[in-house]
Every structure is written in structure tokens, then in C-alpha cells.
Amino acid sequence: KSQRVEASFQILNLHSCLLGLSRTRTLHFADIACFDVRRGMQMGSKRFYNVVTMTNDGKTHMVAKHIPHRKLAESIVADLERALSGE
């Protein structure tokens, strides 16, 4: 499975592809309630993090997963928020 995220002014596109079947979800900035960094899988003592977005209707969408450091995941969230707001 491959995933790609594209963030531009006011629009977040989430592309995923599995065995040649692709899907694109388009989220508008006005529909996004927040981004969140969540604990993902753990391998031994090493923990990985996921970035999700929550929409105003309560749904969550995976943006990135298996990120090795929390600070990196928080940096990704900051970059996405900055790109979507047009700063």
C-alpha cells in the first residue's frame, strides 16, 4: 500500500493505492476540526506515531503513520496547518 499527502491552500488531498486500485480523499480546510498526533505501534521499547485529521462531522482520516519520533510528527502537523492556511 502506498500513500501520498498533498496540502495546498485550503485543500488536503489524501491519495492511497493498493494493488493498482487508487482512492483520493479531498478535505477542505473548513471541514477539518483538528490534526492530532497519536501513539501508533510499538516494537520493543520503540514507539511510533500516527498523524490523523478529525473532520467537523467526527470522522478521522489517517494522514501519516509509523513516524519514529513524536517531534517529527508534531512538525508534520505544523507544516500541514501552515500549508492549508496559506501562510
Side-chain angles (χ1 to χ4, degrees), residues 2-57:
S2 67
Q3 292 181 294
R4 187 176 75 232
V5 176
E6 294 176 356
S8 60
F9 181 62
Q10 302 289 318
I11 295 177
L12 180 67
N13 288 315
L14 306 171
H15 304 280
S16 62
C17 183
L18 178 64
L19 300 173
L21 301 172
S22 65
R23 179 179 189 175
T24 300
R25 289 182 184 226
T26 299
L27 301 174
H28 296 276
F29 186 58
D31 296 332
I32 297 173
C34 67
F35 287 95
D36 193 19
V37 175
R38 296 186 177 175
R39 287 188 230 163
M41 67 176 230
Q42 184 172 344
M43 196 171 3
S45 63
K46 180 69 177 164
R47 183 175 302 272
F48 294 88
Y49 298 90
N50 300 332
V51 174
V52 298
T53 183
M54 295 169 54
T55 56
N56 292 328
D57 60 1

